Amino acid sequence: MSKVPLGPTPGFLVWRLANKWRVAVDRAVAPLGLTHAQYSLVASLHGMQRAGERPSQRRLADHTGLEALYVSKLARALESAGLIERTRDPRDPRAVQLALTEQGRAVTRQAMVVVQELHQQLLEPLGGLDAPRTRAFTDELATLLDVPFAPSVPNDESTKGTSP
């Protein structure tokens, strides 16, 4: 029988931290007309374009960890706002490629500065963005994110009679 943790679990703390940071980024980028999710999309798209890529919605969904359907919804809203353009991929007519517009690049650059300053503030307890503790924290998070997600299936015949 496993012990019940006395304090908050790592999962609870990660969830709380993710929510706290999402709210902070939402507030920081709101004056630029963006939400945290939209910022994640345009900032990722900015980086991918700088690397010479014109990603599909699927590729951007994989990169950000967002659901493809949600990326599609965000992309349509960003297109309506004049920040990105969506075009059919000439190699795959089912795929939609994304690119920042000139206005989108300008807004994204502004948002990246705002979020960078916010991250410096949020990471100050660890010594700031460039501190060794922050690098170690980032490495630990990356390690956890690299673990494939394989949820167990309740009542699966292969797990009956086994204990965790």
Side-chain angles (χ1 to χ4, degrees), residues 67-121:
E67 294 291 327
L69 191 60
Y70 189 44
V71 168
S72 177
K73 178 182 174 185
L74 290 170
R76 282 192 302 276
L78 290 164
E79 182 181 40
S80 293
L83 301 181
I84 68 168
E85 51 190 24
R86 300 166 65 235
T87 57
R88 290 280 170 210
D89 185 334
R91 296 165 302 202
D92 181 357
R94 297 167 297 159
V96 175
Q97 289 182 319
L98 304 174
L100 291 169
T101 62
E102 189 58 45
Q103 178 188 358
R105 282 189 292 278
V107 168
T108 300
R109 283 191 297 268
Q110 289 177 308
M112 290 171 70
V113 169
V114 168
V115 171
Q116 183 86 357
E117 291 170 357
L118 175 63
H119 284 169
Q120 179 65 33
Q121 176 188 348

Side-chain angles (χ1 to χ4, degrees), residues 123 126-143:
L123 291 165
L126 298 181
L129 271 171
D130 299 321
R133 285 182 66 197
T134 299
R135 284 191 296 279
F137 176 62
T138 302
D139 290 344
E140 296 292 348
L141 291 172
T143 297

Side-chain angles (χ1 to χ4, degrees), residues 4 13 23 47 75 97 121 140 142 149 154:
V4 175
L13 292 173
V23 168
Q97 289 182 319
Q121 176 188 348
E140 296 292 348
F149 179 66

Side-chain angles (χ1 to χ4, degrees), residues 2-68:
S2 63
K3 280 185 163 183
V4 175
L6 296 177
T9 65
F12 178 74
L13 292 173
V14 167
W15 178 73
R16 286 283 315 273
L17 184 61
N19 282 317
K20 178 180 180 176
W21 282 35
R22 181 191 51 77
V23 168
V25 173
D26 266 337
R27 290 178 182 160
V29 298
L32 297 170
L34 297 172
T35 65
H36 181 269
Q38 290 172 329
Y39 168 75
S40 296
L41 224 65
V42 296
S44 293
L45 187 53
H46 181 269
M48 295 168 97
Q49 278 187 232
R50 288 192 63 188
E53 193 174 343
R54 186 176 175 122
S56 67
Q57 287 183 173
R58 163 58 62 194
R59 170 80 178 93
L60 193 56
D62 292 345
H63 178 80
T64 60
L66 296 171
E67 294 291 327

